[in-house]
Amino acid sequence: MASPPQRTKRKPVPRHRPRNSSFSAAPPPREGGPQRIAKLLARAGVASRRDVERMIAEGRIAINGEKLTTPATLLTDLAGVTVDGKPVRPAAATRLFRFYKPPGTITAIRDPKGRATIYDKLPPGLPRVMPVGRLDFMTEGLLLLTNDGEWKRKLELPSTAVVRQYRARAFGHVTQAQLDRLAEGITIEGIHYGSIIANLERRTSRNFWIELSLTEGKNREVRRVLAHLGLKVSRLIRTAYGPLTLEGLEPGDADEVRQADLDAFRSSLK
């Protein structure tokens, strides 16, 4: 059995940047050698590798005017590559932003139902960014954003085992002993959820605040696990993703992770 995730020691986070601040451009990356076009396009922030492969199948990507037929094509750069007829800009240096996602927003570019999305709430001046994973409609808290599709993919992979921390306010009754058993993992309706470290933080009448640490981040994982224990979650906040926390942010705020902190984060995952 894999060892359970441990609480990460909170590290200093980047100094808070007000919402109306502009974000300066970063120098281009130093990379070379042939690479698969899907990786290059993900690195340039066009889309994830999987989405790039879908775009290739749809005939939306071309090289020097000729539609691409396979994502296995190797290139040293993106010169002559177009997406939907538009040239692709070379990849910029990897950048990472913290964003406090407000509740009642969709983690998507647009919503068919017309609900507000995270892009409606982001401050002006950010480069083109993609969310690292998702938070559901009513979940609030730390959402990481990046311009680098490869970095996004690595942070999302369960095998990378980045610890996500949450605080949940829930109604019902649960014991610490029940929460402790979540460290062994749990299967609910045929879906297995890996080790979760959960602790009762405080209790008011029948409302509990529970702290949880996990590494998988499956869809609605915290809500489904707590519902299985008979609890109804009334508020859910993601407080940390790896070494980065919500400290200094209010709902709707965003700031950029300092290069030194980004480099340290990336090194810790190698």
Side-chain angles (χ1 to χ4, degrees), residues 188-202:
I188 303 172
E189 297 180 353
I191 300 175
H192 183 74
Y193 299 95
S195 179
I196 299 174
I197 302 300
N199 292 287
L200 287 174
E201 181 186 342
R202 58 189 173 90

Side-chain angles (χ1 to χ4, degrees), residues 100-265:
Y100 191 138
K101 176 193 173 294
T105 52
I106 296 291
T107 308
I109 296 177
R110 62 186 63 87
D111 178 51
K113 298 180 180 179
R115 293 172 294 182
T117 76
I118 59 170
Y119 292 95
D120 297 322
K121 305 297 182 179
L122 291 177
L126 270 73
R128 180 176 180 176
V129 290
M130 300 166 282
V132 176
R134 293 175 180 271
L135 292 177
D136 63 40
F137 184 64
M138 287 308 299
T139 299
E140 62 187 281
L142 184 62
L143 185 65
L144 299 185
L145 307 168
T146 182
N147 64 334
D148 186 336
E150 279 299 289
W151 176 229
K152 160 186 162 69
R153 178 174 177 270
K154 185 169 185 177
L155 287 175
E156 291 173 344
L157 288 173
S159 59
T160 307
V162 179
V163 176
R164 291 88 151 156
Q165 296 184 12
Y166 294 82
R167 292 182 70 229
R169 183 178 66 194
F171 176 80
H173 178 74
V174 71
T175 65
Q176 184 61 51
Q178 288 176 289
L179 295 177
D180 288 342
R181 286 194 286 273
L182 296 178
E184 301 173 1
I186 187 171
T187 299
I188 303 172
E189 297 180 353
I191 300 175
H192 183 74
Y193 299 95
S195 179
I196 299 174
I197 302 300
N199 292 287
L200 287 174
E201 181 186 342
R202 58 189 173 90
R203 172 168 39 193
T204 304
S205 183
R206 294 195 68 192
N207 283 298
F208 295 83
W209 277 101
I210 302 170
E211 293 182 334
L212 306 101
S213 296
L214 52 100
T215 59
E216 287 188 322
K218 289 180 179 175
N219 184 36
R220 298 179 63 84
E221 179 171 354
V222 172
R223 294 182 184 275
R224 287 173 174 169
V225 168
L226 294 184
H228 183 73
L229 297 180
L231 299 174
K232 182 177 181 180
V233 175
S234 57
R235 189 178 182 189
L236 183 58
I237 311 166
R238 183 155 70 191
T239 58
Y241 200 108
L244 302 176
T245 74
L246 273 180
E247 186 177 342
L249 296 179
E250 297 294 332
D253 284 352
D255 68 3
E256 184 166 8
V257 176
R258 295 179 302 175
Q259 189 63 47
D261 294 328
L262 173 56
D263 291 343
F265 193 4

Side-chain angles (χ1 to χ4, degrees), residues 34-42 49 53 70-75:
Q35 300 179 63
R36 291 170 66 100
I37 189 171
K39 180 176 181 180
L40 287 174
L41 289 173
R49 282 198 204 182
E53 292 173 357
T70 172
T73 303
L74 297 178
L75 298 174

